[in-house]
Structures are given as structure tokens and as C-alpha cells.
């Protein structure tokens, strides 16, 4: 794979690159990159790419194509420019990189080369007029386009404040941010679940939409103290542990029951196993058991799998 004159070369085919808006008021718009030259981005109406919003400076940033290489340079903007979660002064771009300017997340993508700059400006205007309505939202997008770990890294680097609301077909998660730090997290309004557990549950969602809503002034039952980096590392560790159990682990919504009759005597169970059997007696589903355990989800899941194999528990 190699690039030449602002193009992505895949298996001998040169594909021109473009900037695709994957969140913000211009979501769905796509702006082609030149074979050579530059694009200045900002709020000023005489620029090549005009982003009309308060968080964008009049001359915010510049994208240059130089001898096949693509660079993004911040032009001393008030709120900064970010690439893949890091604030930049000047950096080289590659296909797949995600840029945050104001409330727009822009992805460097391969395109078919058919769109002109004039077409792109028209499509950006169309994207604004047809944007998905969301009362009070300052940013919207799809978590299929930008995974939540990447989104949270961008919000951490740019010190965003507000409520990141993630909506899937069955669930709604809310992550409360203050200057880029996670304060609290909740799934489906159930604040009895420790906020760290709720955060790790939301982190693995890969379908749905997100909205960054304005800050809510409220007190939390307990606050998350870890950094974004620490939360993401622990979240990925927990995901790996859960994935390792594979099909032996029932779905979170599965009913987990104590076997009746029970072939093995309870005296053979370990204290950890007895605790999980008690959870199964008191709560109907695996997710309810995890919610009411003081241990991390992977620890509960591992014991559940062991108890299923030994015949102490059944699932349906």
C-alpha cells in the first residue's frame, strides 16, 4: 500500500482521498482533497471549507497535500485541532485518521473521485438541513462510524463537558463528562449499578447513535475517579476476559437458575461459587446478578461458566 498525490493506492488502484464528516452539523458531507495544494478550514466565508459554528476560529486549520503526503496544521485556533485523540500543531494524515474541529469529527476516507468541491459544499449544506434532530445536542453521530473508545479519547483530549448519550435499539447509556474526565455513567437510568460497571457495559456497544448533550447540574451517588486512559484500558481488559469465555457464557439477558434437582452437594462448592449461587437465587438474569455483585463482571462470568459446567446452575 502506498500513496501518491493525495491518493490511496490499494492493489495497484489509485483512489483519491476525501474528508467525510461523521458527526456534527455537517454529518454525511464529504469534501474531496486536491491532488496538490491546500484547503483552509474555518468560520470565515471566503475559505475553501467553511464550518459555521462558535467553536471554530475564522482561520482554524489547514490541510496541505505535498508530494503525495497529506498534512493537517492548526492555525493558532482558540479551541485547537485534534487527530485520533491528540491535540496537534502539525501532523501527517493517513486514510482512516479522525480529525476533531469544533463539533465536527472528520474522517480521511477513500472516495470514487466523482465529487467536485462545488458538489461537496452543496452536500455539506444539504447535510445541515437534513441533520437528525436532537434537542439540545451539540454533536451527533454513529458509533458504527466512530467507536466509543475513539470518541472518548477525542473528548478527553479536547476537554469536552456534557452528557454523552448513546442510544441503541434496546438501551440508553449516559456518560457524564467534565473537562474531558468521566464523572458518572448509567445504563437505562439504573443508578443502583456502580458507575464503573455501567461505563464498561456501554463501552462495548458497537451499534447505535450518540449525542453530546449540554452539562446537567446534579449530584452523583458516587463519582468515577479514574482517568479516561485508565478506564479504557480496564474496559478492554474486561472485554478480553469476557470474550475468552466464548459461547460458554450465556447472554447478559439470559435467565440463570439454580439447578433442581442438584446432583452435586453444595459442600463441594467454593466460597466464591456459593456467592454466585446466592446471586442466582435472588436475581433472574445474568446481568442482574452482575449488577448486584461487588465484583467485576468478568469475575462473576467466570464463576457462572464454572457452575454451569459443574451442573449447579442452568441457563435459558
Amino acid at each position: 500500500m502506498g500513496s501518491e498525490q493525495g491518493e490511496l493506492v490499494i492493489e495497484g488502484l489509485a483512489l483519491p482521498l476525501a474528508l467525510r464528516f461523521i458527526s456534527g452539523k455537517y454529518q454525511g458531507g464529504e469534501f474531496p482533497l486536491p491532488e496538490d495544494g491546500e484547503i483552509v478550514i474555518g468560520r470565515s466565508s471566503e475559505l475553501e471549507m467553511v464550518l459555521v459554528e462558535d467553536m471554530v476560529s475564522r482561520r482554524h486549520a489547514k490541510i496541505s497535500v505535498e508530494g503525495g503526503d497529506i498534512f493537517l496544521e492548526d492555525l493558532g485556533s482558540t479551541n485547537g485541532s485534534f487527530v485520533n485523540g491528540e491535540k496537534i500543531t502539525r501532523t501527517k494524515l493517513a486514510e482512516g485518521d479522525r480529525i476533531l474541529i469544533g463539533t465536527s469529527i472528520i474522517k480521511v476516507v477513500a472516495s470514487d473521485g466523482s465529487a467536485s468541491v462545488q458538489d461537496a459544499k452543496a452536500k455539506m449544506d444539504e447535510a445541515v438541513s437534513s441533520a437528525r434532530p436532537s434537542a439540545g445536542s451539540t454533536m451527533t453521530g454513529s458509533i458504527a462510524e466512530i467507536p466509543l473508545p475513539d470518541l472518548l479519547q477525542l473528548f478527553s483530549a479536547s476537554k469536552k463537558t456534557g452528557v454523552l448519550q448513546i442510544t441503541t435499539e434496546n438501551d440508553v447509556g449516559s456518560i457524564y463528562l467534565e473537562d474531558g474526565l468521566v464523572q458518572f455513567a448509567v445504563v437505562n437510568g439504573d443508578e443502583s449499578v456502580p458507575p464503573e460497571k455501567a461505563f464498561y457495559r456501554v463501552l462495548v456497544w458497537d451499534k447505535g447513535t450518540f449525542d453530546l448533550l449540554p452539562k446537567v447540574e446534579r449530584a452523583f451517588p458516587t463519582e468515577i475517579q479514574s482517568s479516561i486512559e485508565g478506564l479504557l484500558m480496564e474496559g478492554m481488559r474486561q472485554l478480553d476476559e469476557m470474550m475468552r469465555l466464548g459461547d460458554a457464557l450465556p447472554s447478559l439477558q439470559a435467565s440463570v437458575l439454580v439447578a433442581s434437582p442438584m446432583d452435586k452437594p453444595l459442600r463441594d462448592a467454593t466460597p466464591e461459587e456459593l456467592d454466585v449461587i446466592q446471586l442466582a437465587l435472588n436475581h433472574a438474569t445474568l446481568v442482574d446478578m452482575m449488577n448486584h455483585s461487588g465484583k467485576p463482571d468478568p469475575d462473576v462470568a467466570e464463576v457462572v461458566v464454572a457452575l454451569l459446567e459443574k451442573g449447579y446452575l442452568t441457563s435459558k
Side-chain angles (χ1 to χ4, degrees):
M1 183 185 296
S3 62
E4 182 176 350
Q5 296 296 316
E7 296 176 332
L8 177 71
V9 179
I10 301 178
E11 296 179 354
L13 296 176
L15 301 176
L17 293 176
L19 303 175
R20 178 180 298 158
F21 287 77
I22 60 175
S23 93
K25 66 191 292 186
Y26 301 100
Q27 183 182 355
E30 192 168 298
F31 200 98
L33 287 171
E35 290 190 355
D36 206 13
E38 63 184 37
I39 297 170
V40 179
I41 304 168
R43 204 171 67 243
S44 179
S45 59
E46 71 268 10
L47 301 179
E48 290 84 355
M49 184 186 290
V50 181
L51 304 182
V52 183
E53 58 171 284
D54 293 341
M55 291 186 65
V56 175
S57 299
R58 287 183 60 79
R59 289 174 57 86
H60 194 105
K62 177 175 68 176
I63 291 181
S64 307
V65 183
E66 306 169 5
D69 293 326
I70 306 167
F71 298 91
L72 174 69
E73 179 182 354
D74 186 81
L75 299 178
S77 65
T78 301
N79 292 299
S81 303
F82 302 83
V83 175
N84 300 330
E86 294 186 6
K87 190 172 185 178
I88 60 95
T89 301
R90 188 174 190 267
T91 191
K92 188 175 179 180
L93 296 176
E95 193 267 343
D97 283 346
R98 294 181 177 91
I99 303 162
L100 175 64
I101 292 178
T103 64
S104 292
I105 301 176
I106 308 165
K107 187 176 181 181
V108 182
V109 299
S111 74
D112 59 12
S114 60
S116 66
V117 171
Q118 290 73 23
D119 291 337
K121 290 181 177 180
K123 286 184 178 179
M124 286 173 65
D125 291 338
E126 181 182 340
V128 172
S129 63
S130 62
R132 176 172 61 90
S134 185
S137 176
T138 59
M139 291 182 72
T140 65
S142 164
I143 58 174
E145 282 274 15
I146 176 164
L148 280 170
D150 294 353
L151 186 65
L152 286 162
Q153 284 182 319
L154 282 172
F155 287 173
S156 173
S158 54
K159 299 186 182 300
K160 295 290 187 191
T161 294
V163 183
L164 176 60
Q165 180 173 291
I166 305 96
T167 305
T168 71
E169 186 176 348
N170 300 311
D171 299 295
V172 176
S174 299
I175 297 174
Y176 293 77
L177 300 167
E178 181 73 33
D179 291 330
L181 297 174
V182 176
Q183 288 183 300
F184 191 70
V186 61
V187 177
N188 296 329
D190 185 358
E191 296 191 0
S192 67
V193 178
E196 290 87 355
K197 277 183 180 277
F199 179 86
Y200 299 138
R201 299 263 176 81
V202 174
L203 191 63
V204 300
W205 295 354
D206 58 4
K207 293 187 177 75
T209 57
F210 73 84
D211 294 276
L212 183 62
L213 304 173
K215 177 181 178 178
V216 175
E217 295 290 350
R218 56 155 295 179
F220 301 109
T222 138
E223 290 195 14
I224 294 175
Q225 302 297 327
S226 302
S227 66
I228 283 278
E229 292 77 11
L231 287 167
L232 292 178
M233 287 180 63
E234 175 61 15
M236 292 302 101
R237 184 196 70 79
Q238 291 198 18
L239 176 60
D240 288 343
E241 290 294 310
M242 299 284 274
M243 294 289 287
R244 182 177 58 80
L245 297 172
D247 295 337
L249 180 68
S251 73
L252 293 186
Q253 301 305 324
S255 296
V256 178
L257 307 171
V258 176
S260 180
M262 187 181 292
D263 295 331
K264 297 190 67 173
L266 282 173
R267 65 174 176 271
D268 292 344
T270 67
E272 292 78 11
E273 289 174 339
L274 289 173
D275 287 344
V276 172
I277 290 170
Q278 185 69 52
L279 287 170
L281 285 170
N282 294 338
H283 306 287
T285 64
L286 178 56
V287 71
D288 288 335
M289 293 167 61
M290 290 176 169
N291 287 347
H292 291 87
S293 169
K295 295 184 177 180
D297 289 353
D299 293 0
V300 178
E302 187 171 9
V303 177
V304 166
V305 168
L307 290 171
L308 288 168
E309 291 174 350
K310 294 177 180 179
Y312 286 109
L313 299 179
T314 63
S315 69
K316 62 178 182 178

